Amino acid sequence: MNRSDYLTGDMSNQPHFVTAYGVLIEGKANCQGYADAFYMLGRMLNWSVGKMVGEAGGEGHIWNTITFDDGNTFCVDVTWGDHGFGNLNSYIYFNAPIEIMQETHKWDWSLAPANLQPSVDDCYSYCYLGSHLARANNVEAELKLIAQKLKERNGWFSIIVPFDGKYADDKVMQPAMQKVTNESGKRFVYAYWQRGKYMFIHTRTY
């Protein structure tokens, strides 16, 4: 995602914008180019990847699927992960289940194969309990966890919690994140957003 920019506007001089070449070599492509690049690289690594064609943002759109060794399939939308918020890559759409995708992506999800994951589980990138990603039971616990993680390391950190409408207001979130700054002693940028019943926060130190 850091090698390419999503191409908009006049594409007459960009003959490769719908191809993996546009993403990997020219650094400019539309969603088809992003999906093709993920598909090509995945197949080279012997991953079980596919494509889905539907709509997103009121326009035609293409994204990928990936099936793990246990047989479960998840959605991957590299395009919508590229600098989604505040120039921060968004990982919402990596190993995403139906309940996340259907908030923004149009497809007849009732026709989804049985192995396409319906809801958030521990394979979803935002639920991975590792050094970069975690989840909490509420926003207050989330903010404490972010402050703790930022103390421990530089870089980025993302977290998922049940959505709390109070924190969807900048007048509430900004002072809350200032407390995180004070507690962690780190300077960072952050972005937050809602998808269905979840709230996501992504931070990056600088």
Side-chain angles (χ1 to χ4, degrees), residues 133-176:
L133 303 153
R135 57 181 167 182
N137 294 325
N138 55 61
V139 177
E140 288 78 11
E142 170 185 46
L143 296 174
K144 290 181 180 179
L145 184 56
I146 289 175
Q148 173 190 334
K149 291 292 185 178
L150 290 175
K151 281 182 181 179
E152 296 173 355
R153 67 186 305 277
N154 290 317
W156 62 271
F157 182 74
S158 300
I159 195 167
I160 179 175
V161 292
F163 177 72
D164 185 335
K166 177 177 69 174
Y167 287 94
D169 186 341
D170 283 340
K171 293 180 180 179
V172 176
M173 182 58 81
Q174 288 177 358

Side-chain angles (χ1 to χ4, degrees), residues 10-31:
D10 183 9
M11 301 183 189
S12 59
N13 294 321
Q14 300 289 338
H16 303 122
F17 74 97
V18 295
T19 68
Y21 185 91
V23 171
L24 301 174
I25 305 301
E26 295 181 343
K28 294 179 180 179
N30 70 355
C31 61

Side-chain angles (χ1 to χ4, degrees), residues 55-180:
E55 295 183 14
E59 299 179 349
H61 190 53
I62 302 177
W63 59 94
N64 296 99
T65 60
I66 183 167
T67 302
F68 296 140
D69 290 341
D70 62 7
N72 291 324
T73 299
F74 298 81
C75 294
V76 177
D77 190 338
V78 183
T79 308
W80 277 44
D82 189 5
H83 305 305
F85 299 88
N87 206 35
L88 295 173
N89 291 335
S90 165
Y91 296 92
I92 290 178
Y93 302 103
F94 278 74
N95 297 350
I98 291 175
E99 71 169 325
I100 297 297
M101 295 296 293
Q102 68 184 2
E103 293 292 329
T104 50
H105 292 58
K106 284 188 176 181
W107 193 75
D108 190 349
W109 298 104
S110 66
L111 300 177
N115 64 341
L116 187 57
Q117 179 66 22
S119 57
V120 166
D121 74 345
D122 286 339
C123 287
Y124 182 36
S125 63
Y126 266 89
C127 290
Y128 174 64
L129 301 179
S131 60
H132 297 283
L133 303 153
R135 57 181 167 182
N137 294 325
N138 55 61
V139 177
E140 288 78 11
E142 170 185 46
L143 296 174
K144 290 181 180 179
L145 184 56
I146 289 175
Q148 173 190 334
K149 291 292 185 178
L150 290 175
K151 281 182 181 179
E152 296 173 355
R153 67 186 305 277
N154 290 317
W156 62 271
F157 182 74
S158 300
I159 195 167
I160 179 175
V161 292
F163 177 72
D164 185 335
K166 177 177 69 174
Y167 287 94
D169 186 341
D170 283 340
K171 293 180 180 179
V172 176
M173 182 58 81
Q174 288 177 358
M177 295 305 286
Q178 183 59 50
K179 290 182 179 179
V180 173

